[in-house]
Amino acid sequence: MPHSQTSAPRDSLAGVRLARGASPWLLPTVATAAVSLARARRSGAAKALAAPATALAAGMLWFFRDPEREIAQGRVISPADGVVQSIMPWKDGRTRVAIFMSPLNVHVNRAPLAGTVTSVEHVPGGFVPAFNKESENNERVVWHFDTELGDIEMVQIAGAVARRIVPYIPSGTKVEQGQRIGLIRFGSRVDLYLPEGVEVDVEVGQKTVAGVTRLDRD
């Protein structure tokens, strides 16, 4: 059975489920497309603008989609849609699973485990492409969750285009596994640090679905 969702209401447009935080980007593009289409018959400039404006609005609708998910069973589930970019043992015994999110992926991130958010820290940084090793120094938001497995760290990393990370919930919030917790606008990366003793059950190059793909094995 799917877990209930307790995050704030999403934006909406013409019945399309949209990610919370989409309006500042989406509404101007949709308005431009609507106006140019309405004036296309009377204005050559509007006609020339109509096609690219409509294509951009459609792209924005696709990018900011926020589909419902039936949350998977398992100790740790993927916080992001994307592709596993790397699996790296850490010096403290943890294992970092890095998931690259292209502009074609859903960019709403979800809680990998149930627990309590103990910190949400914004860290300023650069904006190199998220698939680049140097992206570890990019603008990011570092999350810590108190869970049945102990402290779980998750990092949302902005990419070359993604200049804004939008956390949905503050520190101190209790979350359910698979609950929506934030949005990264455009291409980006999410790193999840699995505790020592938790064995990874995904491979580099494997596609992941937030709330659906299990990352660990029994």
Side-chain angles (χ1 to χ4, degrees), residues 23-173:
S23 294
W25 287 77
L26 184 60
L27 292 182
T29 58
V30 171
T32 299
V35 170
S36 61
L37 285 170
R39 296 180 178 176
R41 291 185 179 181
R42 302 188 301 273
S43 168
K47 185 175 182 179
L49 179 61
T54 301
L56 179 60
M60 286 287 188
L61 282 169
W62 176 253
F63 175 81
F64 285 116
R65 69 198 187 280
D66 184 14
E68 296 292 346
R69 298 273 168 82
E70 183 171 347
I71 306 305
Q73 300 297 314
R75 290 184 302 175
V76 186
I77 57 176
S78 178
D81 287 22
V83 175
V84 178
Q85 182 182 42
S86 65
I87 300 172
M88 183 179 298
W90 224 239
K91 293 180 180 179
D92 59 8
R94 297 180 300 167
T95 301
R96 187 188 70 181
V97 179
I99 300 172
F100 174 71
M101 304 165 65
S102 82
L104 298 179
N105 292 124
V106 172
H107 273 55
V108 174
N109 298 142
R110 294 174 179 261
L113 292 87
T116 300
V117 178
T118 55
S119 69
V120 184
E121 179 187 7
H122 171 256
V123 182
F127 296 99
V128 302
F131 53 80
N132 192 309
K133 187 179 186 300
E134 295 180 2
S135 65
E136 294 174 9
N137 298 317
N138 275 12
E139 187 94 2
R140 58 199 183 276
V141 171
V142 181
W143 297 74
H144 283 272
F145 302 89
D146 181 19
T147 75
E148 63 179 8
L149 295 180
D151 177 69
I152 297 292
E153 180 179 351
M154 187 188 90
V155 184
Q156 295 174 297
I157 302 174
V161 179
R163 299 298 178 107
R164 181 75 188 277
I165 300 171
V166 184
Y168 289 169
I169 54 178
S171 178
T173 304

Side-chain angles (χ1 to χ4, degrees), residues 174-186:
K174 291 185 178 181
V175 295
E176 297 180 0
Q177 189 176 45
Q179 180 178 329
R180 298 170 175 87
I181 60 171
L183 169 74
I184 312 179
R185 293 174 177 162
F186 305 105

